[in-house]
């Protein structure tokens, strides 16, 4: 019997999660993944500031199909006030979980201190998570990386801060640094270390491209959820694993 995964008040039908991919996990793709049994669907990242300024291209990113629940909406940003106020503004929409992006490696995002740049700013991580949790009733989760670069491998520290910020419902860990982008092999041991360090559910991510690898990831790390991104597109990545 498969262990159930509960994220806040949301019980997932299974532990297999479609990872968020900008330009990929749009509504039609998510509905296809739902048909194939995904336990949770993650939307494409959305800029909190774009919502503030009523950017017209953002509206389509927020569209949700009635059949796709449970679904997670991901914000990126760096201003706790804007992020939490925009979370409140969209809360009535039919998503189930609000996720915070602390992993995006794209220069434009990192330059603004957003995405993976937050891995270098533990104080701001705390402020963003606590503001978001206070602002909305829906469960708040965070997606992080192994660290920023080889000199800043701090997923364990950041995960503890996320937990301490009070009320975060889960943390997803991608076992690569920002410097690695999406190449090389994901470090599953960092996922194990995070799992040992926090008591909120930990979602493991990176290089799951087959049922066997999913099983292996759980065995090696004890993670509660398995997040599959490129594997859902049939992309086997550059990893030799
Ligand atoms: C094209 C592409 C777009 C992505 N967009 C996002 C995103 O919007 N938000 C996010 O948190 N991660 C994003 N990611 C990262 C994935 O969710 C995942 O962490 C990464 O690909 C590693 O998992 P995998 O080996 O299963 O692909 C993206 C990855 C790719 C390849």
């Amino acid at each position: 019997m498969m262990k159930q995964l509960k994220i806040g008040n949301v019980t997932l039908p299974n532990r297999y999660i479609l990872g968020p991919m900008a330009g990929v996990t749009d509504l039609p793709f998510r509905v296809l993944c739902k048909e194939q049994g995904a336990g949770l669907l993650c939307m494409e990242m959305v800029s909190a500031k774009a919502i503030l300024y009523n950017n017209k291209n953002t509206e389509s990113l927020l569209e949700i199909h009635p059949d796709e629940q449970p679904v997670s909406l991901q914000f990126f940003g760096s201003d706790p006030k804007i992020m939490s106020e925009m979370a409140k503004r969209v809360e009535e929409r039919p998503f189930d979980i609000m996720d915070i992006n602390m992993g995006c490696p794209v220069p434009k995002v990192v330059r603004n201190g957003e995405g993976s740049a937050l891995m270098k700013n533990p104080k701001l991580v705390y402020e963003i998570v606590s503001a978001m949790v206070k602002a909305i009733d829906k469960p708040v989760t965070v997606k992080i990386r192994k660290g920023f670069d080889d000199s800043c491998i701090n997923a364990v520290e950041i995960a503890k801060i996320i937990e301490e910020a009070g009320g975060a419902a889960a943390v997803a860990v991608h076992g690569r640094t920002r410097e690695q982008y999406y190449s090389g092999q994901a470090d599953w041991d960092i996922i194990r270390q995070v799992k040992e360090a926090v008591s909120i559910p930990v979602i493991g991510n990176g290089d799951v491209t087959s049922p066997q690898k999913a099983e292996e990831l759980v065995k090696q790390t004890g993670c509660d959820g398995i997040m599959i991104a490129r594997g859902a597109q049939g992309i086997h990545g550059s990893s030799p694993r």
Side-chain angles (χ1 to χ4, degrees):
M1 177 72 183
M2 197 189 284
K3 198 177 88 182
Q4 267 193 338
L5 174 54
K6 214 168 167 216
I7 298 181
N9 58 358
V10 181
T11 303
L12 306 190
N14 64 63
R15 294 187 290 164
Y16 300 98
I17 298 167
L18 171 68
M21 286 184 283
V24 179
T25 57
D26 58 7
L27 186 151
F29 188 83
R30 295 195 305 270
V31 170
L32 289 173
C33 291
K34 178 78 179 180
E35 276 174 24
Q36 299 301 319
L40 174 67
L41 304 166
C42 294
M43 297 166 70
E44 305 171 71
M45 66 179 196
V46 174
S47 160
K49 264 196 207 146
I51 294 175
L52 175 66
Y53 298 127
N54 290 317
N55 178 300
K56 61 178 186 329
N57 300 326
T58 300
E59 190 52 41
S60 67
L61 294 177
L62 295 171
E63 252 177 77
I64 294 168
H65 192 276
D67 291 346
E68 61 172 314
Q69 274 81 10
V71 62
S72 170
L73 171 61
Q74 187 187 63
F75 266 10
F76 72 98
S78 61
D79 182 322
K81 191 162 182 281
I82 295 177
M83 290 182 78
S84 55
E85 282 175 5
M86 293 310 109
K88 183 100 210 127
R89 186 182 289 183
V90 300
E91 192 179 9
E92 289 312 308
R93 291 171 185 254
F95 65 93
D96 302 278
I97 293 167
M98 168 66 76
D99 189 46
I100 307 170
N101 181 318
M102 298 194 183
C104 180
V106 173
K108 198 172 70 179
V109 170
V110 171
R111 266 198 305 273
N112 286 336
E114 303 169 334
S116 60
L118 290 167
M119 298 293 298
K120 291 197 292 189
N121 198 338
K123 188 170 163 279
L124 193 52
V125 168
Y126 185 93
E127 287 169 13
I128 291 172
V129 176
S130 37
M132 293 281 278
V133 167
K134 278 197 202 100
I136 60 172
D137 292 328
K138 288 183 182 175
V140 173
T141 59
V142 187
K143 184 159 174 284
I144 66 174
R145 278 184 178 250
K146 176 181 179 177
F148 191 79
D149 57 24
D150 274 351
S151 68
C152 176
I153 293 175
N154 61 351
V156 171
E157 180 201 346
I158 295 290
K160 281 187 181 163
I161 288 167
I162 288 165
E163 184 166 53
E164 278 159 21
V171 61
V173 186
H174 175 197
R176 286 187 182 84
T177 61
R178 184 266 171 169
E179 198 174 29
Q180 287 178 289
Y181 259 67
Y182 300 108
S183 65
Q185 190 167 308
D187 175 6
W188 286 356
D189 197 60
I190 196 82
I191 300 167
R192 181 190 63 77
Q193 291 172 37
V194 171
K195 173 64 191 164
E196 276 178 14
V198 298
S199 53
I200 53 175
V202 172
I203 297 158
N205 171 237
D207 298 342
V208 176
T209 50
S210 68
Q212 293 74 20
K213 284 180 191 169
E215 206 175 304
E216 195 56 34
L217 174 69
V218 174
K219 213 162 80 193
Q220 281 184 32
T221 67
C223 66
D224 305 282
I226 302 114
M227 180 177 278
I228 300 151
R230 290 166 298 175
Q233 286 182 284
I235 296 174
H236 287 220
S238 55
S239 149
R241 186 183 267 128

